[in-house]
Amino acid sequence: PSSDCVLAEQLCLSDSTCNATYRTLENCALAKTRLLSLDHDSRVRCLNAELDLGNSSLLHCKCHRRMKRQEHCLRIFWTVHSSMTDGYFNLETSPYENPANEEHWKTDYNKLAALVSGKNCSQLAGDATNPCLKATHVCNLSKKCFRLRTDYASICTKGAGSEDVCDRRKCHRGLRNFFEKVPEDFTKRILFCPCQDEFCGERRRKTIVPDCSFQSNTKPNCLWLLDSCLEDHICKSRLADFQQNCQPVDMSPDGCSLHNHAACLQAYMGMIGTPMTPNFVSNSSVEVSLWCTCENSGNQKEKCDQILGMFESNKCL
């Protein structure tokens, strides 16, 4: 059976029984998207349709982080697993496959730059005191990294210094483009460069142009941020991936339930460019947060704190 949801959908639609079941699930997912409350019989019908898929490849399919038809693939996944979203902030099954492994993430700056430029890296020697500057210079040696970084930077800084406000949606799309299309060896070095001083820390904090991508005049409630995320297939999928790979466990020596920090950092990177974009909160620490508050959350304060805590006080992350 195919593990790719796009191919699995094609196989299902060519089978009359599977096709009928899938169409039922599409209607169920559509009703949820429109926030229509399903009666008891409809809920049972939706649940039965999901169970009827049985061993169909649709039930076990996944999506690739960098695939061309990613949004279409994710829509299929959430159509088949629509019952999973009943729980509030409970999306612990990621639609993505093959998280990063630790070894793959151990990369040497100079070796990478030499590989890209085809020559030695004496020009990077002066960046030793500022790893974030060095990471940017390494990126500039790659045409693709330089082009896509320049693209999002120009989109995200439009409106700066004038009355125009930036186009956050376009800025987010540009950031997603950068983190999806540029090899992770480059992107992770720019985002997670280790700093010893505040100048370096400030450069790291401004990697994603926070004035446009991250912060706004007032902090929205984190529950509102979550609602806007769950309405978007990409954001909902990245959040599920983050919850699965960054699930903290107090009793674990490394703080992670899956014991894979590389997968957690990869999932964190996936959140950038979504309505729940996180960032470093200052130029003097590696603490991160969402741009939201839990004030005035009423009887949902605990849920709100849980959302914020996944970023602010997550031992795994």
Side-chain angles (χ1 to χ4, degrees), residues 152-161 166 209 212:
Y152 87 70
S154 63
I155 294 166
C156 298
T157 49
K158 276 182 183 172
C166 76
V209 197
C212 183

Side-chain angles (χ1 to χ4, degrees), residues 192-221:
F192 302 125
C193 40
C195 289
Q196 300 298 322
D197 60 63
E198 293 192 1
F199 178 73
C200 175
E202 185 64 3
R203 188 177 183 93
R204 179 175 60 193
R205 192 184 71 81
K206 289 189 170 178
T207 295
I208 66 167
V209 197
D211 288 351
C212 183
S213 69
F214 177 65
Q215 61 201 54
S216 51
N217 292 334
T218 56
K219 282 189 176 183
N221 187 282

Side-chain angles (χ1 to χ4, degrees), residues 72-83:
H72 179 65
C73 185
L74 295 172
R75 181 186 62 76
I76 296 166
F77 179 89
W78 292 115
T79 294
V80 174
H81 297 284
S82 61
S83 66

Side-chain angles (χ1 to χ4, degrees), residues 254-268:
D254 64 0
C256 297
S257 64
L258 297 184
H259 313 295
N260 187 344
H261 283 113
C264 178
L265 292 178
Q266 184 183 50
Y268 173 88

